[in-house]
Structures are given as structure tokens and as C-alpha cells.
Amino acid sequence: MTNSHRRLAFDLTVWAVSLCAGIVLIAHEAMADGHRYRADNARWKAECGSCHLAYPPQLLPAPAWRSIMAGLDKHFGTDASLDPAAAAEIGTFLQNNAGSSRRVGAQSLRITETAWFRHEHDEVPGAAWQRPSIKSAANCAACHRTAEEGDFRERNIRIPR
Ligand code: HEC
Ligand code: HEC
């Protein structure tokens, strides 16, 4: 190799390495972003956040939200009925921001029973879910300290004792 060839090979290597690093960085950002949910609606936050966390609409597919909104009078053992105007507005908000069935396909109406949820939490020890400080897997904010802001990123997780 002549000097100029060597120089060219070096430049190409530097360029290729930077390109790869760039792609990895972008992919990582996109993934990290996948666990911050930004959709917001004041009525949804107030009504669906009064008994538990207002669960991000992205975590269930549209058909599941439709069923939940159709059965609010018998909502997981409680009555969570809404007046028709609020129900219509919240229902539209949930469906417009719902997750895709492929990603968060639901066999039940519980986020906590989806294959997606089980997979994300397969490293949580089984007994942790029953701790008095947690009570239920549906109590996201017990461990996800920034869940109220739609932020489920790993860096903000602490499993309470
Ligand atoms: C009157 C109280 C109350 C209100 C208001 C309420 N919920 Fe619930 N919700 C519950 C209870 C209780 C559970 C069961 C929690 C558990 O198993 O720990 C539940 C569970 C859920 C679950 C399943 C959580 C899981 O296990 O994955 C979803 C989804 C849900 N609610 C959505 C909504 C939506 C949407 C609204 C607003 C339209 C709403 N809730 C309003 C009481 C309420
Ligand atoms: C007992 C504590 C606990 C509860 C309760 C809990 N989680 Fe998690 N969650 C974790 C832990 C720990 C991880 C990280 C697992 C890992 O990456 O190894 C996690 C991961 C996640 C992730 C992926 C985060 C990322 O960026 O990798 C999402 C999204 C998530 N949980 C949503 C929820 C939702 C929604 C609820 C409530 C319906 C919930 N979690 C309830 C402990 C909990």
C-alpha cells in the first residue's frame, strides 16, 4: 500500500466506525423513548387517575380500551361509571393513542396480563409483587417513581422493600 492508500483506508475506517456509533446511538434513543409516554388529556388524567395511575393508552390495543370503556359500571370489581360526555372524550383519547395489537396484544383487559408486560418484568422476583409496599402489579408507581409523568425508563425504577 502506498501512503495515500493507507490514508484513504484509515479515513474510510474512521468514517465507518462513526457511522455505526451514530446508528447505535439513534437506535438506543428510539428505544429509550419507547418507554416514555407523552399522550395527555386532562379528563383522562383526572377520571382514570383517581383510583390508580392513569395507565398510558399506549399499553393496551384499541379493542381492549373499547371493552374497558363499555364496562365501567363493572370495572375490576368496582363501579367507575362516568357521565356520557366524559366517557366519550376519554374513549376517543384512549383509542387515538392506543398501542398496536402486535406489540401490546391483550388477551385480557389487564395490562399486567399481557405477554409484553410479563416479558418486561421477567426479572422481578415473583414474591415482590405481593409485598405490602406494592400490593399489586397494577400499582406501577410503587416501583416506577416517575410513572405519573408517563416515564417508565429503567433509570427511574426502584423496587421497594
Ligand atoms: C373507582 C375507582 C376506579 C376508577 C375511577 C378507575 N379504575 Fe381502573 N381499576 C380500578 C381497580 C380497583 C382496578 C384493579 C386494580 C388491581 O388489580 O390492583 C382497576 C384496574 C384497571 C386496569 C387494569 C390494570 C392491570 O392490572 O393491568 C385498567 C387498564 C384500568 N383500570 C383502566 C381504567 C380507566 C381507563 C379508567 C378511566 C375511564 C379507570 N380505570 C378508572 C379502579 C378504578
Ligand atoms: C415490583 C415493581 C414494579 C411494578 C409494580 C411495575 N414495574 Fe414495570 N418494571 C419494573 C422493573 C424492575 C423493570 C425493569 C426490568 C429490567 O429491565 O430488567 C420494569 C420495566 C418496565 C418497562 C420497561 C422499561 C424500560 O425502559 O426498559 C415498562 C414500560 C414498565 N415496566 C411498565 C410498567 C407498568 C405500566 C406497570 C403497571 C401496570 C409496571 N411496570 C409495574 C418493576 C415494576
Side-chain angles (χ1 to χ4, degrees):
M1 265 210 263
T2 65
N3 261 345
S4 68
H5 277 132
R6 228 175 256 130
R7 176 72 218 200
L8 181 66
F10 176 77
D11 282 352
L12 281 174
T13 308
V14 167
W15 184 82
V17 167
S18 325
L19 185 72
C20 288
I23 288 170
V24 167
L25 205 72
I26 290 166
H28 185 81
E29 279 298 302
M31 265 162 29
D33 224 44
H35 297 132
R36 287 172 91 176
Y37 305 104
R38 293 199 175 82
D40 206 4
N41 172 281
R43 259 185 161 161
W44 159 75
K45 195 101 187 182
E47 302 290 357
C48 304
S50 61
C51 298
H52 47 64
L53 181 82
Y55 302 116
Q58 293 87 345
L59 299 185
L60 283 176
W65 288 125
R66 251 194 310 278
S67 304
I68 286 179
M69 294 309 290
L72 283 181
D73 57 330
K74 294 185 195 70
H75 181 77
F76 302 96
T78 70
D79 184 352
S81 303
L82 290 171
D83 66 79
E89 180 180 331
I90 293 170
T92 304
F93 165 75
L94 290 171
Q95 296 198 34
N96 285 348
N97 294 285
S100 75
S101 296
R102 199 166 57 82
R103 215 174 83 74
V104 291
Q107 298 73 44
S108 86
L109 299 182
R110 282 186 180 270
I111 296 162
T112 51
E113 285 175 1
T114 59
W116 166 85
F117 186 91
R118 292 216 185 92
H119 175 73
E120 291 286 6
H121 296 86
D122 59 2
E123 280 168 31
V124 178
W129 303 111
Q130 269 89 48
R131 285 182 194 153
S133 52
I134 299 171
K135 293 191 204 77
S136 159
N139 188 12
C140 320
C143 305
H144 294 274
R145 296 173 308 155
T146 49
E148 283 289 343
E149 295 98 72
D151 182 347
F152 290 84
R153 288 176 301 172
E154 217 174 326
R155 68 171 84 152
N156 295 320
I157 302 173
R158 295 282 181 286
I159 302 181
R161 296 280 110 207

